[in-house]
Amino acid sequence: CVGLRNPHCKHWCIKKGAKLTFKDSVLITMGIAKEDVLALALACGGPVAAAGICGALSSRAIKGWYQKLRKPRWTPPNWLFAPVWTVLYTGQGVASWLVWKNKDGERRLPLALYGVQLLLNLAWQPLFFNLKRPDVALVDSTAMLGMAAAATVKMAQSTPDHKAAIAGLMSPYIGWVGYATALNYRIWKDNPNAHKIAADEPAPPKTA
């Protein structure tokens, strides 16, 4: 193989005397094949983009109906959700990519569990905001939490060389989903008629 980026070779090939860019040096040092770069971008960018679309479709309810719900004082500000979820989606995307690129391990079940929990995650916003059903969203969030935990265990088991990395990447996500599930439960409990609340009603004070 000749040249740094020979299209007929899936590996990085260094021609004698060739100058490497910083990006190429990083990829070579990490042992990432050229074909894996696109997969990593899709694994991280896909969930972020899908969640962004769901968020855009829910923006009207977030700015109107959601503001009228009774919420506990430990509810985070609205601006915090987007950056937190972006970081968490990216982290779990890297974890799924590590499982995908490990062709010697069992990938089918771990990635299936990961995919199911991701679909449950993406379904939460429409259920909670667009349908105005915190009760149904709570069921979804609880199932998501269980599936995320199961996916993490199977993903780590299938990739022994990256077991610690996968646990480290997925643990913050599981923790945040647990927190979000607790918040969902509290909002459902404090707003039994949430689906009947009009967007033009005055906002109630936060509870303890």
Side-chain angles (χ1 to χ4, degrees):
C1 204
V2 292
L4 179 62
R5 298 191 178 188
N6 188 331
H8 303 294
C9 180
K10 69 178 181 179
H11 302 292
W12 293 98
C13 305
I14 306 174
K15 187 176 182 180
K16 186 176 180 179
K19 293 183 179 181
L20 301 180
T21 64
F22 175 76
K23 180 179 69 173
D24 292 337
S25 299
V26 171
L27 292 175
I28 293 171
T29 301
M30 295 177 65
I32 302 177
K34 289 187 292 184
E35 64 178 6
D36 292 340
V37 177
L38 178 59
L40 177 59
L42 290 174
C44 296
V48 172
I53 294 173
C54 291
L57 295 176
S58 303
S59 61
R60 183 175 181 180
I62 294 173
K63 295 177 181 178
W65 170 80
Y66 179 67
Q67 302 305 317
K68 312 307 177 184
L69 299 178
R70 292 184 180 275
K71 296 181 284 291
R73 296 187 184 278
W74 41 275
T75 302
N78 289 349
W79 63 263
L80 184 62
F81 286 100
V84 168
W85 277 116
T86 299
V87 172
L88 295 175
Y89 282 131
T90 301
Q92 67 171 334
V94 174
S96 68
W97 174 76
L98 289 173
V99 175
W100 173 82
K101 70 190 286 290
N102 179 33
K103 297 177 173 57
D104 295 329
E106 169 54 43
R107 301 181 298 175
R108 194 172 304 175
L109 179 57
L111 291 179
L113 292 173
Y114 171 80
V116 170
Q117 70 84 26
L118 185 58
L119 289 175
L120 290 170
N121 184 299
L122 296 175
W124 185 87
Q125 283 198 72
L127 292 174
F128 189 95
F129 294 110
N130 297 82
L131 297 183
K132 302 178 182 179
R133 293 300 302 264
D135 53 345
V136 179
L138 178 59
V139 175
D140 177 271
S141 186
T142 303
M144 183 205 319
L145 181 59
M147 291 299 296
T152 300
V153 172
K154 290 299 182 182
M155 289 165 73
Q157 290 177 346
S158 69
T159 316
D161 292 344
H162 300 292
K163 186 175 182 179
I166 290 174
L169 289 165
M170 293 295 292
S171 293
Y173 172 73
I174 294 175
W176 182 260
V177 171
Y179 167 69
T181 301
L183 179 61
N184 190 159
Y185 169 77
R186 183 60 184 272
I187 292 176
W188 165 68
K189 182 180 178 182
D190 292 345
N191 301 271
N193 297 314
H195 61 287
K196 297 180 181 180
I197 295 177
D200 57 356
E201 290 185 18
K206 289 187 176 181
T207 59

